[in-house]
């Protein structure tokens, strides 16, 4: 189980950006996307997200698992949401709907509108995932701390972020070791204990050792930090972050998108837009 | 001004807040610039506590009751803040993995200076100097996550130097290092002493620590100082049972009291191997992009004791993981009792081969030792009339049953040595006939690890024992067959006496030619394929000399 | 003369940020991130995905204080989303909700300590309250447009998440606390 994020985007165009760009960019993009329901605008944002993602040059093999999960999970959310509620109607009243059919048993109407909503929802999540993923693969280890610090996060917590990313790989390795150790004792977390309760209690032999070892092991880490004067005064960072022209340009791009979309949404032009094709299908 | 002691410990006594007994009592010692002090003693005698008192963690980070005083350059630590002390005292802890903070080599080195708000440019220069001084330029720019244990320890050492401390305290730095890396580290410490630093080092591996040419040795027992003086004197009083001493010393000791003389145990005829228990047929393993094992062929007999040696990362652990189906070979087969493991379930394998992981606590989760021991048998539905009997039985085989109320203690509160034995008991609770131990001696002092191996040897049901270790002497004296692994290939396979012949191999595998090994060689394998431990060998030699036969093994031959 | 000296971070209030707090927070977050993925990887039976690892949020909050709890929940959930590919901020409001749960677990652990003397019961109660209150934050989904109205947010988001997390939190938090307390004793800090 090697799920540790690794610096695979090394050297790529995106990896050469100031790490803050990736963080701010993602934030701006998320707030842009969540305002949009119009498939046409979403398509544009989707393309932007795609290009942005490609620029990190993350080998697909390394993230196949992630994408499978994302696609599966989004579909799950969107479909259940649509089937249960007929999708969000965003201002459409029942009689405006172009209904295809009603879901048996539930009786929710599946309409051109709800399908459009589903597609929109799908694109929203997909594009956000695409812009988010590079953060794990295109930010150099050791840049996380300085990046958050320079974004105004108090230095202790900025360093906390740094440590978190540093602990992830070793802890997932520990988790694997513990899983192996317990399997040798006839413990099989795939078969034993069905149902929710079983599923929960069956993780005790894994969670407990890994957690306790991590906490006990932390003593040395804490000592090592105290002994080098951590947290006694405001600290400097060896890593100097400076926005380059390209960095500014990228940020400007993200800001522009946010502003445009915000204006559009205030003038009510980002709402659900139902393509003719889908409406025709209803008749 | 060498006459002002850099570190002055005066009649120090300290009791940890929740402890009933003081961890150290009335310890006094002064260390001057350019001096090296070696602290030795059995596990739990207070060595680390003394170091913590010097670097200020006691009492600043560890609450407790403190009497007496510690002065750094004339100032009492109780009146200094931790970072004021850390400006003068650099510390190197035992576990390299835990004390590395930064995720890249540069970030790690910069950590200290950053915390005292040094200017980035200055930090950059300082890093350059330290990397040069510690001779780790080959590590520059690497990610700490990808460093080997040894490389991490060297980096931690460099990190401790970044704030230019005048004293350095070092707690068991060699524990996880292969001998080559250990040499490098000791060399650095020596350089520091020669350039006027004060060095305090705690180390179980006394034989290697002596290469540091310490000026004085402080021996401790139960929190008290039992000896403080030159190494020569220490070697006279030290107990070979509790600390590992150079063989010459053990021999000299044996000579001085002839009473100890005893003839060598009659050479056991090369034990019959028995049928094949664990066979590797052209086993290849690749994890990610990396080839870990590259064609291993070996057949381990059902009655053999086999030790596996090899540098860090050579694939020792991975090799035995394939035997338990925790890793599957990309090419080749692994056979247990003649049948391919791929066709067996892990649980079945666990019943014929007990596997004890390097770090015991990684499997301990239950609220009591009892539950911990019954976990395996219950999972596999083994018949148990009285659970307590089953549990006690497993404990008895590992000598843990002597601890009172052991069954109801939380496993994770046991001492490291005890956890190690509990892990062993757990491995035995499924009544396997073969045992695999990964690093049985790591993190324990000489006596505890010897006791551990003795406990294992004493288990009646056990037919065969295979173990992985970095401790050459442990391997040579306990195994009757040695496998040496390098880069995922077996580069040597045979009885100790013949494997140690190959000097080149020994060096290329970062292995250390110990004095005991040399002595055993000189002794010309008169005790059969298996080597003798220091005490037995010394006794045998003395006996020989007594009976006037001389005998190859003289102290000079052991050099 | 016998001086009893307490360390610098003794008597630290539950809001003080010491090295200890930062390291525990980082470990909690990383552990939650890793273990959450692991639990997702378990082939699920119910279509509400339970994260047994969620108990780490309430445990770290209860055992080490609100700040550690908040960081564990907030950052841990982000890491989990990041590792799974969902994206660091895609469900940022859910991360905040997780953080609030951890924070509240820490607060209740202290404020209810007198009312409930038994630490294990206390930890279970603190966890339960924290989950029920903290996850109210997911109603922000309405404003973010990922849930159309109150009833949906309630039935489709709030209820499932507190249901599954109550199971994990109430069962596992006391178990982790029971494992940790004796260790803390023997470590003496
Ligand atoms: N934080 C602590 N709280 C309470 N007791 C402790 C603490 N740390 C150590 N002790 C106890 O103090 C005694 C000395 O411990 P210390 O670690 O100094 O021994 P040591 O000589 O370093 O042992 P080892 O060689 O195994 O490292 C032991 O009995 C130990 O159990
Ligand atoms: N799950 C894994 N994924 C990738 N690489 C791994 C994995 N497990 C081990 N390795 C690598 O395989 C190599 C061999 O590992 P192994 O633990 O077998 O070496 P070893 O001989 O036991 O080393 P040591 O003496 O330090 O224990 C190491 O370089 C290690 O980094
Ligand atoms: Mg120690
Ligand atoms: Mg190994």
């Amino acid at each position: 189980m090697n799920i540790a994020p690794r610096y695979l985007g090394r050297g790529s165009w995106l990896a050469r950006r100031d790490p803050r760009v990736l963080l701010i960019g993602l934030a701006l993009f998320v707030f842009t996307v969540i305002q949009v329901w119009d498939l046409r605008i979403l398509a544009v944002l989707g393309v932007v997200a795609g290009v942005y993602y490609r620029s990190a040059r993350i080998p697909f093999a390394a993230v196949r698992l992630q994408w499978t999960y994302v696609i599966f999970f989004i579909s799950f959310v969107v479909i259940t949401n649509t089937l249960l509620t007929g999708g969000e109607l965003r201002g459409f009243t029942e009689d405006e709907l172009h209904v295809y059919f009603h879901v048996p048993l539930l009786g929710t109407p599946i309409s051109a509108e709800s399908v459009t909503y589903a597609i929109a929802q799908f694109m929203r999540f997909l594009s956000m995932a695409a812009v988010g993923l590079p953060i794990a693969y295109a930010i150099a280890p050791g840049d996380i701390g300085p990046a958050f610090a320079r974004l105004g996060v108090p230095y202790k917590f900025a360093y906390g972020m740094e440590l978190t990313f540093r602990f992830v790989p070793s802890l997932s390795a520990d988790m694997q070791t513990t899983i192996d150790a317990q399997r040798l004792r006839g413990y099989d977390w795939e078969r034993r204990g069905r149902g929710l309760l079983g599923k929960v209690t069956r993780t005790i032999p894994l969670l407990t050792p890994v957690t306790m070892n991590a906490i006990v092991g932390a003593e040395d880490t804490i000592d090592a930090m105290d002994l080098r004067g951590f947290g006694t005064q405001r600290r400097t960072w060896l890593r100097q972050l400076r926005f380059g022209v390209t960095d500014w340009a990228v940020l400007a791009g993200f800001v522009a998108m946010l502003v445009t979309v915000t204006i559009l949404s205030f003038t009510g032009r980002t709402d659900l837009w139902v393509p003719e094709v889908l409406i025709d299908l209803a008749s | 001004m060498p006459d002002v002691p850099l570190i002055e410990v005066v009649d120090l006594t300290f009791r940890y807040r929740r402890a009933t007994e003081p961890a150290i009592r009335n310890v006094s010692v002064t260390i001057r610039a350019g001096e090296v002090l070696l602290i030795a003693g059995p596990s739990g005698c207070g060595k680390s506590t003394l170091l913590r008192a010097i670097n200020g963690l006691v009492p600043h980070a560890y609450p407790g009751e403190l009497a007496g005083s510690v002065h750094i350059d004339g100032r009492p630590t109780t009146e200094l803040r931790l970072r004021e002390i850390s400006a003068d005292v650099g510390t190197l802890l035992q576990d390299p993995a835990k004390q590395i903070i930064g995720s890249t080599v540069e970030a790690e080195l910069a950590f200290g200076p950053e915390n005292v708000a040094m200017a980035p440019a200055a930090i950059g220069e300082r890093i350059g100097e330290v990397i040069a001084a510690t001779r780790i330029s080959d590590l520059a720019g690497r990610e700490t996550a990808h460093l080997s244990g040894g490389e991490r320890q060297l980096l931690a050492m460099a990190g401790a130097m970044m704030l230019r401390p005048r004293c350095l305290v070092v707690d068991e730095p060699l524990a996880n290092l292969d001998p080559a890396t250990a040499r490098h580290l000791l060399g650095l410490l020596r350089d520091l002493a020669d350039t006027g630093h004060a060095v305090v080092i705690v180390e179980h591996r006394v034989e290697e620590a002596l290469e540091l040419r310490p000026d004085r040795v402080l021996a401790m027992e139960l929190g008290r100082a039992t000896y403080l003086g030159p190494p020569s004197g220490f070697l006279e009083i030290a107990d070979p049972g509790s600390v590992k001493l150079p063989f010459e010393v053990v021999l000299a000791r044996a000579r001085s009291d002839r009473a100890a003389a005893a003839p060598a145990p009659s050479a056991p005829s090369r034990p019959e191997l028995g049928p094949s228990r664990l066979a590797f047929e052209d086993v290849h393993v690749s994890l990610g992009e990396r080839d870990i094992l590259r064609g291993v062929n070996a057949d381990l007999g059902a009655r053999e004791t086999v030790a596996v040696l090899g540098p860090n990362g050579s694939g020792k652990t991975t090799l035995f993981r394939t035997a338990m189906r925790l890793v599957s070979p990309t090419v080749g087969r692994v056979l247990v009792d003649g049948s391919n493991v791929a066709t067996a379930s892990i649980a079945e394998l666990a019943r014929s081969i007990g596997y004890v992981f390097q770090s015991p606590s990684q499997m301990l989760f239950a609220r009591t030792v009892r539950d911990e021991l019954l976990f395996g048998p219950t999972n596999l539905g083994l018949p148990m009339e009285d659970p307590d009997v089953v549990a006690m039985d497993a404990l008895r085989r590992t000598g843990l049953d002597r601890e009172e109320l052991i069954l109801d203690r939380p496993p994770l509160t046991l001492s490291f040595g005890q956890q190690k034995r509990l892990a062993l008991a757990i491995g035995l609770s499924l009544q396997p006939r073969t045992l695999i131990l990964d690093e049985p001696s790591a993190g324990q002092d000489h006596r505890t690890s010897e006791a551990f191996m003795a406990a294992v040897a004493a288990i009646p049901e056990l037919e065969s024992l295979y173990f992985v270790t970095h401790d050459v002497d442990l391997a040579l004296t306990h195994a009757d067959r040695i496998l040496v692994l390098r880069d995922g290939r077996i580069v040597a396979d045979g009885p100790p006496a013949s494997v140690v012949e190959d000097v080149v191999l020994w060096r290329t595998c970062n292995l250390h030619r110990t004095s005991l090994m040399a002595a055993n060689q000189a002794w010309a394998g008169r005790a059969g394929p298996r080597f003798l431990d220091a005490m037995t060998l010394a006794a045998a030699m003395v006996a020989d000399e007594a009976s006037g036969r001389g005998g190859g093994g003289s102290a000079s031959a052991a050099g | 003369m016998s001086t009893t000296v307490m360390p610098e971070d003794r008597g630290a209030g539950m809001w003080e940020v010491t090295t200890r707090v930062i390291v525990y927070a980082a470990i909690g977050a990383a552990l939650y991130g890793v273990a959450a993925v692991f639990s997702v990887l378990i082939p699920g039976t119910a279509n509400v995905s339970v994260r047994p690892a969620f108990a780490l949020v309430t445990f770290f909050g209860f055992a080490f204080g609100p700040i550690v709890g908040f960081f564990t929940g907030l950052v841990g959930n982000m890491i989990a989303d990041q590792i799974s590919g969902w994206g660091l901020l895609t469900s940022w409001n859910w991360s905040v909700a997780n953080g609030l749960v951890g924070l509240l677990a820490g607060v209740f652990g202290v404020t209810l300590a007198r009312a409930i003397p038994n630490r294990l019961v206390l930890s279970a109660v603190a966890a339960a309250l924290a989950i029920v209150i903290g996850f109210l934050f997911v109603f922000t989904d309405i404003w973010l447009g990922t849930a159309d109205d109150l009833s949906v947010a309630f039935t489709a988001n709030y209820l499932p998440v507190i249901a599954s997390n109550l199971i994990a939190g109430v069962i596992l938090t006391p178990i982790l606390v029971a494992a940790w307390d004796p260790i803390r004793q023997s470590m003496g800090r």
Side-chain angles (χ1 to χ4, degrees):
Chain A
M1 176 181 65
N2 203 344
I3 45 77
R6 285 148 297 153
Y7 188 32
L8 295 174
R10 183 189 297 277
S12 67
W13 180 85
L14 197 57
R16 292 199 305 278
R17 303 280 64 79
D18 183 310
R20 289 170 292 177
V21 172
L22 279 72
L23 297 168
I24 305 172
L26 175 59
L28 291 171
F29 188 80
V30 167
F31 282 102
T32 309
V33 168
I34 58 178
Q35 300 186 56
V36 183
W37 290 99
D38 187 312
L39 289 187
R40 292 161 299 189
I41 308 180
L42 281 174
V44 177
L45 293 176
V47 171
V48 173
V51 173
Y52 181 87
Y53 174 78
R54 301 278 295 137
S55 75
R57 293 220 317 276
I58 305 166
F60 181 68
V63 287
R64 183 179 290 111
L65 196 70
Q66 279 82 347
W67 281 117
T68 333
Y69 165 80
V70 172
I71 306 275
F72 165 82
F73 194 73
I74 300 179
S75 325
F76 175 77
V77 169
V78 169
I79 291 172
T80 44
N81 219 332
T82 319
L83 291 185
L84 287 177
T85 71
E88 187 181 349
L89 303 180
R90 307 212 58 92
F92 287 85
T93 59
E94 283 293 340
D95 46 8
E96 289 174 318
L97 294 181
H98 304 75
V99 179
Y100 299 149
F101 60 90
H102 288 76
V103 183
L105 307 175
L106 292 169
T108 19
I110 299 304
S111 62
E113 289 70 18
S114 64
V115 171
T116 317
Y117 167 77
I119 300 174
Q121 190 71 287
F122 197 89
M123 292 172 68
R124 284 158 57 103
F125 281 126
L126 208 55
S127 55
M128 285 193 278
V131 177
L133 207 57
I135 287 185
Y137 299 89
I139 293 187
D143 278 5
I144 301 279
F148 278 96
R150 292 290 301 280
L151 285 173
V153 176
Y155 77 93
K156 284 183 179 175
F157 291 97
Y159 213 90
M161 297 297 293
E162 176 74 40
L163 276 179
T164 309
F165 275 77
R166 144 121 160 58
F167 285 143
V168 165
S170 53
L171 283 176
S172 66
D174 294 352
M175 178 72 78
Q176 188 55 51
T177 313
T178 299
I179 293 173
D180 292 344
Q182 305 301 34
R183 284 164 81 201
L184 287 179
R185 301 163 74 185
Y187 166 85
D188 183 342
W189 46 269
E190 261 152 9
R191 242 180 280 108
R192 275 176 72 261
R194 301 216 163 279
L196 236 50
L197 285 187
K199 221 159 103 194
V200 171
T201 47
R202 139 181 66 172
T203 57
I204 293 170
L206 303 182
L207 281 185
T208 316
V210 179
T211 309
M212 297 308 144
N213 275 296
I215 296 172
V216 172
E219 291 301 310
D220 276 1
T221 313
I222 294 163
D223 288 351
M225 289 174 77
D226 280 336
L227 284 172
R228 285 187 277 170
F230 178 79
T232 47
Q233 72 188 63
R234 182 145 193 77
R235 80 199 302 274
T236 51
W237 300 82
L238 172 65
R239 179 77 162 92
Q240 295 297 292
L241 298 176
R242 236 171 258 91
F243 282 124
V245 183
T246 333
D247 299 323
W248 284 119
V250 177
L251 284 180
F254 277 114
V255 174
M257 283 197 296
L258 180 58
V259 173
T260 326
V261 163
T262 316
I263 295 169
L264 286 174
S265 77
F266 272 119
T267 54
R269 268 173 282 168
T270 59
D271 245 332
L272 209 59
W273 162 82
V274 188
E276 289 304 326
V277 266
L278 290 178
I279 295 179
D280 299 346
L281 286 177
S283 52
Chain B
M1 37 176 188
D3 52 341
V4 177
L6 273 178
I7 304 170
E8 190 169 20
V9 180
V10 183
D11 194 31
L12 185 73
T13 300
F14 180 77
R15 183 178 59 76
Y16 288 97
R17 177 153 45 91
R18 288 195 176 76
T20 51
E21 290 291 292
I24 45 177
R25 306 157 187 264
N26 314 95
V27 175
S28 299
V29 58
T30 64
I31 304 112
R32 302 175 182 288
E35 257 192 325
V36 176
L37 175 74
L38 169 63
I39 305 180
S43 201
C45 71
K47 303 183 296 295
S48 298
T49 308
L50 180 54
L51 291 195
R52 287 180 188 145
I54 293 174
N55 64 27
L57 286 175
V58 163
H60 291 297
Y62 291 83
E65 190 177 319
L66 177 140
S69 65
V70 179
H71 294 262
I72 302 298
D73 200 16
R75 297 168 303 169
T77 53
T78 46
E79 289 165 25
L80 296 169
R81 307 194 70 248
L82 205 44
R83 57 174 264 259
E84 294 171 313
I85 301 173
S86 62
D88 272 335
V89 183
T91 306
L92 182 58
L93 300 166
Q94 173 175 342
D95 186 342
K98 301 281 187 323
Q99 62 190 310
I100 299 284
I101 314 297
S103 32
T104 67
V105 169
E106 282 69 18
E108 169 63 16
L109 292 175
F111 183 74
E114 284 176 341
N115 291 332
V116 297
M118 194 189 284
I123 299 179
E125 290 173 17
R126 183 75 61 93
I127 289 180
E129 298 165 13
V130 170
I131 284 188
T134 49
R135 306 195 287 279
I136 56 168
S137 43
D138 52 329
L139 301 189
R142 308 233 336 243
E143 285 180 42
T144 52
H146 300 160
L147 297 179
S148 80
E151 293 168 331
R152 290 203 180 126
Q153 193 62 296
L154 291 175
L155 174 58
M157 168 79 186
M161 296 312 304
M162 284 297 289
L163 289 173
R164 297 208 176 127
R166 291 182 299 157
C167 320
L168 207 73
V169 297
V170 188
D171 196 349
E172 298 187 37
L174 309 183
N176 306 295
L177 305 190
D178 59 34
T181 322
R183 278 225 159 53
H184 184 169
L185 190 69
L186 291 171
L188 295 178
L189 290 171
R190 187 65 247 175
D191 295 351
L192 286 171
D194 296 341
T195 52
H197 293 72
V199 176
V200 183
I201 177 174
V202 168
E203 190 48 64
H204 286 308
R205 283 156 69 170
V206 171
E207 177 168 11
E208 275 154 290
L210 285 177
E211 293 170 13
L212 188 53
R213 302 196 310 282
D215 301 275
R216 284 181 302 157
V217 178
L218 170 65
M220 296 180 67
E221 282 281 349
L222 301 168
R224 296 184 188 283
T226 53
Y227 173 85
L228 176 58
S232 52
F234 168 70
L235 293 177
E236 281 159 23
I237 60 113
D239 164 16
S242 62
V243 281
K244 195 144 160 284
L245 300 170
F247 180 71
E248 303 83 331
V249 178
V250 183
L251 183 59
R253 194 74 64 75
R255 285 217 181 85
S256 64
D257 59 342
R258 295 244 157 196
S266 58
S269 57
R270 186 119 171 63
E272 100 283 11
L273 310 178
S276 159
R277 168 59 44 82
L278 176 56
F280 300 96
E281 295 180 352
D282 184 38
V283 171
H284 292 252
V285 170
S286 314
L287 295 162
E289 311 75 42
R290 307 198 38 236
D291 297 341
I292 312 302
L293 295 181
R294 309 148 182 252
V296 172
N297 287 292
D299 191 342
L300 309 187
R303 304 233 185 312
E304 276 190 304
T305 301
V306 183
V308 180
L309 291 167
N312 295 99
S314 53
K316 304 183 295 295
T317 300
T318 308
L319 181 65
F320 282 127
R321 285 169 149 266
T322 59
M324 307 308 290
R325 267 195 70 203
L326 297 176
V327 182
S328 335
T330 33
V331 181
R333 307 191 304 160
V334 181
L335 307 173
V336 169
D337 293 322
S339 61
N340 191 336
V341 295
T343 64
S345 81
I346 291 184
E348 287 162 13
L349 290 172
R351 297 201 55 178
S352 49
I353 300 182
Y355 186 107
V356 180
F357 282 72
Q358 174 169 347
S359 148
S361 51
Q362 276 176 318
M363 65 162 97
L364 303 178
F365 72 97
R367 292 199 59 177
T368 67
V369 169
R370 180 189 290 98
D371 301 356
E372 200 69 67
L373 282 163
L374 297 180
F375 183 65
T378 330
N379 286 335
L380 299 182
L382 299 192
M384 293 183 291
E385 305 75 37
D386 180 356
D388 275 18
V389 175
V390 179
M392 262 336 241
D393 200 50
L395 290 178
R396 197 166 299 109
R397 293 208 217 88
T398 57
L400 264 181
D401 56 325
R402 287 185 226 95
E403 313 287 330
E404 75 283 4
L405 302 176
I406 181 83
L407 278 183
D408 296 306
R409 288 192 51 189
L412 285 163
T413 61
L414 301 175
S415 82
F416 185 86
Q418 293 170 324
Q419 288 187 2
K420 202 93 179 163
R421 284 159 178 261
L422 180 54
L424 177 61
I426 289 169
L428 294 172
S429 65
L430 302 178
Q431 292 118 25
R433 284 164 301 144
T434 298
L435 201 60
I436 295 177
L437 306 176
D438 199 343
E439 311 273 2
S441 63
Q444 303 177 78
D445 65 10
H446 190 48
R447 174 175 281 141
T448 11
S449 60
E450 281 300 332
F452 182 79
M453 291 309 281
V456 173
I459 299 163
E461 304 80 357
L462 217 54
E463 294 177 353
S464 39
L465 170 66
Y466 313 140
F467 64 99
V468 171
T469 185
H470 282 296
D471 183 336
V472 173
D473 285 342
L474 190 85
L476 294 177
T477 54
H478 289 83
D480 33 48
R481 177 175 170 191
I482 306 279
L483 296 184
V484 182
L485 223 61
R486 190 180 65 218
D487 305 333
R489 290 197 191 80
I490 291 185
V491 289
D493 179 356
S498 62
V499 171
V500 296
E501 295 299 325
D502 189 341
V503 182
V504 181
L505 166 92
W506 222 244
R507 197 177 54 250
T508 53
C509 293
N510 296 2
L511 294 170
H512 180 53
R513 296 194 73 80
T514 64
S515 56
L516 175 61
M517 167 176 160
N520 264 297
Q521 272 181 290
W523 179 250
R526 232 174 290 177
R530 189 182 292 195
F531 277 22
L532 299 176
D533 65 81
M535 305 272 240
T536 326
L537 180 57
M541 285 183 167
V542 175
D544 255 25
E545 292 161 1
S547 56
R549 274 188 284 105
S554 75
S556 61
Chain C
M1 58 113 204
S2 166
T3 54
T4 306
V5 188
M6 286 300 162
E8 281 160 352
D9 56 322
R10 268 309 109 180
M14 68 173 157
W15 300 108
E16 184 165 346
V17 184
T18 62
T19 307
R20 184 163 291 275
V21 166
I22 293 299
V23 173
Y24 284 152
I27 286 181
L31 204 51
Y32 180 38
V34 170
V37 170
F38 155 79
S39 71
V40 166
L41 291 182
I42 299 177
T45 48
N47 54 2
V48 177
S49 89
V50 186
R51 271 185 186 177
F54 178 81
L56 289 169
V57 177
T58 43
F59 167 70
F60 272 83
F62 180 81
F64 306 120
I67 297 185
V68 174
F70 184 74
F71 194 96
T72 301
L74 176 75
V75 179
N77 194 64
M78 287 183 179
I79 299 277
D81 284 350
Q82 186 63 56
I83 293 175
S84 65
W86 189 240
L88 202 66
L89 301 180
T90 310
S91 316
W92 62 272
N93 58 323
W94 284 69
S95 300
V96 175
N98 275 267
L100 290 175
V101 173
L103 182 138
L104 290 171
V107 174
F108 288 133
V110 174
T111 51
L112 299 183
R114 193 169 279 95
I116 309 173
N118 179 325
R119 248 180 87 79
L120 299 189
V121 179
L122 174 63
S123 66
V125 174
L129 289 177
I131 290 169
V132 173
I133 301 173
F135 274 111
L136 288 172
F137 195 82
V138 303
F139 280 101
T140 45
D141 272 356
I142 302 168
W143 167 59
L144 295 175
T146 36
D148 28 0
D149 58 38
L150 205 66
S151 70
V152 173
F154 189 74
T155 51
N157 294 355
Y158 182 69
L159 278 190
V161 77
I162 67 161
S164 60
N165 285 336
L166 276 175
I167 295 171
V170 172
I171 296 177
L172 295 184
T173 313
I175 287 175
L176 289 169
V177 172
W180 166 236
D181 279 350
I183 300 175
R184 197 183 83 232
Q185 289 292 328
S186 64
M187 286 204 316
R189 10 218 305 203

